[in-house]
Amino acid sequence: MLSGLGLFTVLLGAALPLIDFFIVNVALPTIGRDLNASEAVLELVVAGYGVAYAVLLVLGGRLGDLFGRRQFFLGGMAAFGLTSLACGLAPSAWTLVAARVAQGAASAAMLPQVLATIQAATAGPRRAKAMGLYGATAGLSMVAGQILGGLLVAADIAGTGWRAVFLVNVPVVILGLILATRAVPETRSQHPEPIDTPGTVLLAVSLLALLAPLTEGRAAGWPLWTWLSLALFPLAAAAFYFVERREDRQGRTPLVPPSLFALTSLRRGLIMIVPFSIGFSGFMFVIAVALQRGAGLGPVPAGLALAPMAAVFFVVSLCGPRLIARYGTRVVTAGGLIQAVGVALIALAAWRSWPDLGVWQLLPGAAVAGAGQALQLPVLIRIILSEVPSARAGVGSGVMATTQQSALAVGVATLGTLFLSLASSDGMRDALVTTLLVQLAGVALTTALSLRLPRTIS
């Protein structure tokens, strides 16, 4: 069984990769000046991490099932600490990009073991509570990463400047490794299967073909390779599906078993988490750019502008398990409606107050949006994995995390591209409001999809 200290340790491991996806948003201007990096290279600092992370998540889950989840959790966490150190000491922009890609790979080894361990080492009310805490940790980490990034850059600890956003991981990882060796139990699949090499390669090609041009296309000026890559994506995705279906029919275990998608809760939850994550990450990126480049705020006030969202998210998410027990998945629908009100209030504040946009102007909308998000994300994660058998916990966790991470990367790419393109032609205020309205449409879609969720969660 997973003890309280063990749960804290694996949740710490879950927080680190998500914090690091967002922590660089407010540090990018400083990194660009210090390393003389172009905008395209700066986008690679973000995209290199996100793409490597997304591409390898399912494989990380399968390897944990095969060789032991605790072992892979420890190895992934140690690698995350070393690659964070490499990022913090990077002498050039391209060295930083390479270190970020390696850091993303380390995250992919560590994160799937968190959910898989919770699935395999808890049951009943303890599992429901643990899954609720995981969801709360995930959402809070994404907001807190941006706040922490601003504080660390401005603090300039011992003259480290932006490097502190990566170096801060090192002592946290050391603590996590000490705790994990004592408190995290070893679990693995009772019937481990060999690695599905064709499926692994085709999934990697599919995700790279989609995410690489979306994340780098705008900064690179949409060269020919970006369009060829996007054209390759549906072909690679179709090949992946047919290979996985063939493996399943022949009695072997594919990387992503198509039979998993027969689970209604997993299938509908994954469909919902895509627009939610696209809107979440797109908003976080756009608001960081708008507040620093447009409203003229420094990294600290730009980060602290999201503090109300983080605080309310944390408080409301703790109430999630009790609300689910009483109202079922209707909580998700209510959360979508509440988030829609919050996003609309942020858009109104941007329209009326620009360029004097800061924590006080954003507070009502950010707080309301945070409450709505807290009623959705933790519950969606629990729904997605509710029917996945323990033997496939690593695969199910990897599929969920890959879908979420890919959507996060797409959100930064699509909403970020929309915002930056409009800002150059229509001005920063109109670009921000328009992007928020697009996000609002995504919230409406998520809310509509929530009506098709099963009413109760096992």
Side-chain angles (χ1 to χ4, degrees), residues 152-196:
L152 288 172
V153 170
D156 193 22
I157 301 169
T160 54
W162 60 266
R163 299 178 186 276
V165 304
F166 301 112
L167 296 175
V168 71
N169 292 330
V170 177
V172 177
V173 164
I174 292 172
L175 173 64
L177 290 171
I178 293 171
L179 295 177
T181 55
R182 298 181 178 182
V184 177
E186 181 63 281
T187 63
R188 68 183 69 201
S189 174
Q190 296 299 314
H191 305 286
E193 297 284 346
I195 299 302
D196 171 19

Side-chain angles (χ1 to χ4, degrees), residues 197-215:
T197 302
T200 301
V201 172
L202 285 170
L203 179 62
V205 171
S206 301
L207 291 173
L208 282 170
L210 174 66
L211 297 178
L214 285 179
T215 51

Side-chain angles (χ1 to χ4, degrees), residues 25 54 62 114 177 250 289 295 304 391 393 400 404 424 451-452:
N25 280 351
R62 170 60 67 83
V114 175
L177 290 171
Q250 293 178 352
V289 174
L304 290 178
M400 191 281 295
Q404 183 186 23
S424 62
L451 299 174
R452 301 184 69 244

Side-chain angles (χ1 to χ4, degrees), residues 68-92:
R69 293 158 188 147
R70 177 178 179 270
Q71 180 175 327
F72 255 76
F73 180 79
L74 288 167
M77 182 173 276
F80 185 86
L82 290 172
T83 52
S84 296
L85 181 63
C87 290
L89 299 178
S92 67

Side-chain angles (χ1 to χ4, degrees), residues 266-289:
L266 180 137
R267 186 175 65 252
R268 293 181 179 175
L270 288 178
I271 291 171
M272 276 193 65
I273 210 168
V274 169
F276 178 89
S277 299
I278 286 173
F280 196 113
S281 64
F283 168 78
M284 298 295 288
F285 176 80
V286 166
I287 201 70
V289 174

Side-chain angles (χ1 to χ4, degrees), residues 1-13 73 126 175-176 178-185:
M1 291 295 290
L2 189 63
S3 65
L5 182 60
L7 178 61
F8 170 81
T9 305
V10 294
L11 291 179
L12 179 65
F73 180 79
R126 283 179 59 84
L175 173 64
I178 293 171
L179 295 177
T181 55
R182 298 181 178 182
V184 177

